């Protein structure tokens, strides 16, 4: 069951990322006279990919350590979402970091990406939050910032800010 759960999460993470890029495919076309990728975007990609790799390393370790045969991956004892959230708050220092993570990922990212995405004319901006549920919170943020950076770079030179 745990291998299936991890596999489904990985597939959903890749699928949502591909969906976001597909929805914004016009921003991934080369613009003559401009570099294919900016230094800022490259930094975002590095940070985002690093956060996914490190996050998945820890998540796989969590699942392997807490896995019990027949465990429900959503609730109950073992490697479930409920147990994961419970383990985020074991002491005051972790409580502080975990509440910050929850506010950033569950409250700020959706507001920022949906409101900002709608203002920028991005299709389906709620997908950035969805991507964070299967990749990492940092990846959801940087994917939004990558699309915003590409949109900025795609504007004609005289309107670039």
């Amino acid at each position: 069951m745990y291998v299936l759960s991890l596999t489904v999460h990985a597939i959903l993470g890749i699928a949502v990322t591909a969906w976001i890029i597909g929805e914004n495919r016009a921003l991934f076309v080369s613009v003559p006279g401009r570099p294919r990728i900016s230094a800022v975007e490259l930094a975002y990609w590095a940070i985002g990919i690093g956060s996914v790799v490190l996050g998945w390393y820890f998540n796989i370790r969590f699942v392997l350590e807490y896995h019990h045969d027949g465990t429900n991956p959503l609730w109950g004892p073992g490697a479930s979402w409920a147990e994961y959230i419970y383990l985020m708050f074991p002491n005051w220092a972790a409580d502080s970091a975990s509440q910050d993570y929850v506010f950033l990922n569950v409250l700020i990212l959706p507001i920022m990406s949906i409101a900002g995405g709608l203002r920028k004319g991005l299709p389906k901006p709620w997908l950035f939050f969805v991507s964070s549920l299967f990749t990492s919170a940092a990846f959801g943020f940087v994917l939004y910032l990558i699309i915003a950076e590409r949109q900025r770079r795609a504007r004609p030179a005289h309107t670039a800010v």
Side-chain angles (χ1 to χ4, degrees):
M1 181 69 121
Y2 71 93
V3 173
L4 176 62
S5 177
L6 289 170
T7 303
V8 167
H9 269 81
I11 290 168
L12 289 172
I14 292 166
V16 173
T17 301
W19 189 1
I20 291 169
I21 292 170
E23 288 287 335
N24 294 282
R25 66 186 152 278
L27 298 176
F28 287 86
V29 175
S30 293
V31 176
R34 293 191 186 170
R36 187 144 176 85
I37 188 168
S38 71
V40 170
E41 184 185 349
L42 186 60
Y44 287 150
W45 278 115
I47 292 164
I49 291 168
S51 76
V52 171
V53 169
L54 196 55
W56 270 82
Y57 169 77
F58 290 123
N59 287 333
I60 290 170
R61 302 256 339 240
F62 160 73
V63 169
L64 293 175
E65 183 174 336
Y66 286 86
H67 163 71
H68 306 294
D69 285 335
T71 298
N72 183 321
L74 299 176
W75 59 83
S80 67
W81 274 104
E83 184 73 9
Y84 183 89
I85 292 167
Y86 172 77
L87 290 171
M88 286 173 58
F89 297 91
N91 59 56
W92 297 116
D95 294 354
S96 175
S98 295
Q99 70 77 31
D100 224 16
Y101 160 77
V102 170
F103 274 82
L104 283 169
N105 193 54
V106 179
L107 300 172
I108 296 171
L109 175 60
I111 292 169
M112 179 196 78
S113 63
I114 294 169
L118 289 172
R119 286 185 195 118
K120 293 176 184 309
L122 299 179
K124 299 177 182 64
W126 51 271
L127 283 172
F128 297 102
F129 170 66
V130 174
S131 76
S132 76
L133 300 175
F134 302 113
T135 56
S136 73
F139 190 78
F141 272 93
V142 299
L143 194 52
Y144 173 81
L145 294 170
I146 286 165
I147 298 299
E149 170 69 4
R150 285 198 161 259
Q151 187 181 55
R152 181 195 66 77
R153 291 179 56 230
R155 285 189 228 133
H158 66 282
T159 61
V161 178

